[in-house]
Amino acid sequence: MIVTLRSRLAALAAGGLAVAAFASASAAGASDHPMLTGVGQANPKAPGLSSPNRLSPELAAVAWAQGSLLVENPQGGVGYYGYDAVDGTPPLVPVIGSTPLTEAHKTEPDKNTYLVQRHQTGPDPTYSYGTHFLYQGHESGTPGYVTRINLDADSAHRVTILSTKDAAGAGLPDFDGSSWNPFAKKLLMAAEVGCASNGTGGGGVWMGDAAYGSDARFTEVPALGKGGYEGVQTASDGSVYLVEDVGGSTVSGTNGKLANSYLYRFVPHTPGDLTTGTLQALQVQRADGTPMDTAAALDSQDIKDLHTYGKTFTTTWVPVHQTTAANASTTFCATAAAKAAKATPFKRPENGVFRPGTRFGEFYFTETGDTNATSTANASAGGWGGIFRLRQDGPGAATGKLNLFALGDQAHTGFDNIAFATDNDVLVVEDAGDTLHTQRNALDSGYAYSARRADASGVTPTRFLAEGRDASATIDSAFTTSGNDGDNEITGIHVSDGDPSVRGLLGTRVPTPFKDGWRVFWTQQHGDNVTYELVPSPSSSNHREDEDRSSGRD
């Protein structure tokens, strides 16, 4: 269901409506499941078959932007929200009868960051852009760029390009992750491109203004290193947590990949100043205190133990690079440095978030895994990935405890973006990929887990979203020479009230979706590249009760 009434959106933004789906979950007490009605099975994948998204009946969706929406300030070859094409050249979709069949490259808007900011301007000096904005990097295309969806604007001003250039005037890399650092008062954009051991490569973190500027630039932050970064979150002490997604080498004859990605923490000398400080990586230890070697073999005992319910491991943050004023402009490969420091690699972790109400003492992060039903690592060595919980005395603690929170399986895997809907309900979404979609005959889904227990063993999560496949993605899935991705992917699940201050850091306050300004967003990446907001369904009981109260009925 898609809701388009602006009057309802205004009421939601003002916090005038609550829904039991999330807001009452914290008071539920005994249930292991979030208070959402599941949608049953995932949507199947079949050649030539497109299908609509299905949401829990308590929820509806508002489409804010899609790939074919013209940006108001085209530049650098980017004329549309989700396409590298200005003025329709090349065509957005294949023209039937033309030879060869071509279409514009899709740029894949990724992680969402929501901010409420006053006095914002744009390319049109006569227009009032409002106060509610959603920011994204784009995972594919040339150049990379940052967009701002203006949630209070008309369609002509709905999407503004903030930047396509770095500080030197060169094109930006493609960005996967994004977040707001209130200490620096800057957007942080993460590039998943990776790096070489000599410190070269396109991955890393860039920083720039959330406000519009006619020649705005985003600047790389050398102290955070180069790597395959995707997840990026700032903690209450000003440290920056980074989650890396770098696929390891495939072991011959297994369709499984070695663990090759790390969890990092950058501790700046001064909160908000990311030019100097220490980059650390997480080391997980065996019972005897020695570091785990999870990359020793595809089915090593360490990787098996890491993916076993009920096991808890001591962790320590090991330094991998120190940046001072003397070497502040020098780049280095964080991935290689973490490996040399005997940090512990995971099987493609992608994103992480602090659990609200824990004073930044719990950090949950996803692990995508191999995304192949024939991987020999699936049975016991983390091939299906999962979700991990890191517990510490605080965000700057030197040591902590790590355990597997949720183990993936064929129906629940490829975990990517993650967000807490309350202090107890964690939302995760899949990026299983076309190969696994075909193998399991099931497209991606979004799940709600309860964090009331130490782990989710024996618990089936609630499927609140069964993603469909739009016609554009269905064509791409069959049209393999297009250079575009195929099936739709769920990304950018994001719960925020948009507070740009330090007290608004995600993890500080317990979210109350659809109330007190808290909003929920996600993006249907690939295909039409649609960015949605989740809202209460008009048919939900809370919506009816709210209207009854406003009309005086009982």
Side-chain angles (χ1 to χ4, degrees):
M1 176 180 293
I2 296 179
V3 179
T4 57
L5 296 178
R6 290 295 300 275
S7 58
R8 265 187 59 73
L9 297 182
L12 288 167
L17 181 63
V19 64
F22 296 125
S24 297
S26 297
S31 175
D32 278 331
H33 295 274
M35 294 183 65
L36 285 171
T37 304
V39 296
Q41 299 300 310
N43 277 313
K45 172 179 176 174
L49 176 66
S50 61
S51 53
N53 301 322
R54 293 184 290 117
L55 287 165
S56 293
E58 295 86 0
L59 301 173
V62 178
W64 279 111
Q66 67 180 53
S68 57
L69 182 64
L70 283 163
V71 299
E72 63 172 344
N73 56 334
Q75 55 186 279
V78 182
Y80 297 84
Y81 173 60
Y83 289 90
D84 278 338
V86 176
D87 298 328
T89 304
L92 299 189
V93 296
V95 176
I96 303 302
S98 64
T99 304
L101 288 175
T102 60
E103 62 178 341
H105 186 85
K106 294 167 183 174
T107 64
E108 305 172 27
D110 207 298
K111 184 71 174 69
N112 293 302
T113 295
Y114 173 58
L115 293 174
V116 177
Q117 299 197 102
R118 302 187 183 281
H119 312 300
Q120 296 301 295
T121 61
D124 184 349
T126 67
Y127 190 77
S128 175
Y129 284 83
T131 58
H132 303 89
F133 304 95
L134 196 65
Y135 299 85
Q136 304 95 4
H138 291 248
E139 190 178 352
S140 181
T142 303
Y145 60 104
V146 180
T147 46
R148 183 186 73 182
I149 298 178
N150 309 311
L151 297 172
D152 300 321
D154 59 23
S155 60
H157 301 85
R158 179 66 50 79
V159 178
T160 305
I161 294 180
L162 285 190
S163 182
T164 62
K165 299 177 181 179
D166 65 13
L172 290 172
D174 297 324
F175 292 130
D176 295 76
S178 67
S179 69
W180 174 249
N181 185 313
F183 297 97
K185 296 182 173 56
K186 299 285 185 179
L187 286 169
L188 300 182
M189 311 298 299
E192 194 187 58
V193 187
C195 62
S197 59
N198 62 1
T200 62
V205 176
W206 275 251
M207 184 167 61
D209 292 330
Y212 168 79
S214 60
D215 192 30
R217 308 290 178 94
F218 275 68
T219 304
E220 187 176 2
V221 187
L224 273 62
K226 288 186 172 294
Y229 298 146
E230 179 165 347
V232 52
Q233 295 288 331
T234 301
S236 56
D237 63 350
S239 60
V240 178
Y241 280 60
L242 299 164
V243 184
E244 184 176 48
D245 177 13
V246 177
S249 58
T250 300
V251 177
S252 177
T254 69
N255 287 323
K257 296 182 178 181
L258 294 174
N260 191 49
S261 305
Y262 298 88
L263 181 67
Y264 301 89
R265 180 175 71 184
F266 179 74
V267 182
H269 289 151
T270 303
D273 181 358
L274 303 184
T275 58
T276 59
T278 302
L279 185 69
Q280 306 166 333
L282 190 73
Q283 182 188 88
V284 185
Q285 298 172 349
R286 305 184 185 105
D288 63 3
T290 58
M292 297 181 81
D293 188 0
T294 51
L298 188 67
D299 60 349
S300 71
Q301 190 59 49
D302 284 341
I303 198 75
K304 289 180 178 179
D305 288 346
L306 192 65
H307 292 88
T308 300
Y309 280 124
K311 290 183 178 291
T312 299
F313 306 93
T314 297
T315 63
T316 186
W317 290 98
V318 294
V320 299
H321 192 271
Q322 179 78 28
T323 301
T324 65
N327 65 349
S329 61
T330 303
T331 61
F332 65 98
C333 180
T335 312
K339 182 177 181 179
K342 297 187 182 304
T344 301
F346 294 83
K347 291 177 72 72
R348 290 188 59 203
E350 297 214 31
N351 282 279
V353 66
F354 291 98
R355 182 180 179 182
T358 65
R359 298 184 179 181
F360 292 83
E362 290 189 22
F363 187 77
Y364 285 63
F365 61 97
T366 56
E367 185 187 50
T368 297
D370 292 331
T371 60
N372 192 312
T374 63
S375 168
T376 60
N378 289 339
S380 61
W384 295 124
I387 307 169
F388 288 90
R389 179 180 68 160
L390 175 64
R391 290 171 295 148
Q392 305 174 128
D393 288 339
T399 61
K401 298 291 184 181
L402 181 80
N403 71 278
L404 176 72
F405 172 73
L407 181 65
D409 55 33
Q410 182 163 306
H412 314 84
T413 189
F415 293 145
D416 193 329
N417 282 197
I418 180 171
F420 270 90
T422 69
D423 53 346
N424 290 314
D425 301 320
V426 59
L427 310 179
V428 293
V429 294
E430 289 183 313
D431 173 16
D434 285 25
T435 296
L436 185 53
H437 293 165
T438 300
Q439 291 171 335
R440 68 182 186 180
N441 189 29
L443 301 175
D444 287 338
S445 293
Y447 302 102
Y449 285 88
S450 172
R452 291 183 180 279
R453 297 162 32 130
D455 61 53
S457 58
V459 174
T460 300
T462 300
R463 180 183 279 108
F464 71 91
L465 166 62
E467 187 183 38
R469 187 171 65 171
D470 57 42
S472 181
T474 305
I475 292 171
D476 281 347
S477 184
F479 183 36
T480 56
T481 60
S482 70
N484 282 322
D485 290 308
D487 301 331
N488 292 126
E489 166 197 336
I490 307 171
T491 190
I493 189 70
H494 182 58
V495 182
S496 173
D497 66 352
D499 185 345
S501 71
V502 172
R503 71 184 297 269
L505 275 169
L506 295 182
T508 302
R509 298 196 297 267
V510 175
T512 54
F514 321 128
K515 184 179 180 182
D516 299 327
W518 287 89
R519 302 172 75 167
V520 184
F521 301 92
W522 72 283
T523 294
Q524 186 167 5
Q525 198 184 68
H526 314 322
D528 288 338
N529 280 320
V530 184
T531 292
Y532 293 100
E533 179 176 2
L534 292 180
V535 298
S537 169
S539 62
S540 70
S541 59
N542 272 41
H543 172 72
R544 292 193 299 270
E545 291 169 4
D546 183 79
E547 289 195 337
D548 287 347
R549 286 192 297 269
S550 65
S551 63
R553 297 192 300 269
D554 52 27

